[in-house]
Amino acid sequence: MDETPAQAGAVRVVVVDDHAMFRAGVRAELTEAGAGVIDIVGEAPDVDVAVEVIARTRPAVVLLDVHLPGGGGVEVMRRQPDPGTRYLALSVSDAAEDVIGTIRGGARGYVTKTITGPELVDAIRRVSDGDAVFSPRLAGFVLDAFAGSIEVAAVDEDLDRLTEREREVMRLIARGYAYKEVAKELFISVKTVETHMSSVLRKLQLSSRHELTRWASDRRLL
């Protein structure tokens, strides 16, 4: 993706997300809230492009979606482990296994896409300075995981049956979102949501939204 001219003294940032509309929204928010503080030097929609853009632009911070075509955010960090670049996960998912897996993969923080522009600017600056940044609920997941009270491996087998997009749909539906709300959140059509939902129920051998919510709650995925 094209880079913008550098701003002296600003934190150099690359935005990695497979939704062009979301990347545009992040750019607009950071341009307004982080004027003179944040310099977006590149964007990428998938793992391969992200690795190339990060290597070429050498940003201080990468805003990284968890679920990406080509292997996910963890794959980006594995393939581009430059110690001079820090990673801040910015995802629609606040599920325990996503948070923990991403931190184990090398991210310095994890925030959800409900974050405001000024909050995101602050998170980027803190990660650039070497701090770890989490939404409060997500910090609890990390503490629980490393204390041994969340067994991430226990949910992996079931989740591995689902594609990344099916996982996103599953979590939102399990939280009570209507199909139209899920479609808006994920930038997909209602028909696509219905197709993913049918696949999720079939793969998990469940028969209703109620059963899905209970399944997800039992596994601390909500």
Side-chain angles (χ1 to χ4, degrees), residues 47-100:
V47 170
D48 289 340
V49 176
V51 170
E52 185 274 326
V53 170
I54 293 166
R56 175 156 43 86
T57 61
R58 297 192 176 279
V61 176
V62 176
L63 282 181
L64 186 65
D65 194 12
V66 174
H67 301 301
L68 291 168
V74 171
E75 180 67 8
V76 174
M77 293 185 283
R78 185 188 71 80
R79 290 172 53 185
Q80 190 53 264
D82 185 344
T85 296
R86 296 188 170 99
Y87 293 86
L88 173 61
L90 176 62
S91 178
V92 68
S93 170
D94 60 2
E97 84 282 356
D98 280 340
V99 177
I100 297 161

Side-chain angles (χ1 to χ4, degrees), residues 165-215:
R165 180 62 82 198
E166 287 169 351
R167 293 184 192 190
E168 291 177 333
V169 170
M170 175 271 292
R171 292 187 188 104
L172 293 174
I173 292 293
R175 290 171 187 159
Y177 281 54
Y179 283 8
K180 287 184 179 179
E181 294 172 325
V182 175
K184 182 178 180 181
E185 183 77 17
L186 299 181
F187 301 99
I188 57 179
S189 70
V190 173
K191 181 67 174 178
T192 300
V193 174
E194 293 173 349
T195 299
H196 286 314
M197 182 60 175
S198 295
S199 180
V200 167
L201 293 177
R202 183 180 70 255
K203 289 180 179 181
L204 298 180
Q205 299 182 336
L206 302 173
S207 60
S208 67
R209 290 180 60 143
H210 176 73
E211 288 187 2
L212 179 63
T213 298
R214 185 170 58 191
W215 179 91

Side-chain angles (χ1 to χ4, degrees), residues 4-66:
T4 57
Q7 302 173 26
V11 179
R12 293 168 57 82
V13 175
V14 165
V15 179
V16 181
D17 192 284
D18 62 337
H19 295 121
M21 289 179 62
F22 179 76
R23 294 197 308 273
V26 169
R27 178 183 284 276
E29 286 281 351
L30 292 181
T31 298
E32 180 178 349
V37 177
I38 303 297
D39 180 17
I40 300 179
V41 297
E43 300 178 12
D46 57 41
V47 170
D48 289 340
V49 176
V51 170
E52 185 274 326
V53 170
I54 293 166
R56 175 156 43 86
T57 61
R58 297 192 176 279
V61 176
V62 176
L63 282 181
L64 186 65
D65 194 12
V66 174

Side-chain angles (χ1 to χ4, degrees), residues 123-135:
I124 290 169
R125 293 184 66 181
R126 288 170 59 193
V127 167
S128 177
D129 290 339
D131 292 343
V133 179
F134 300 94
S135 301

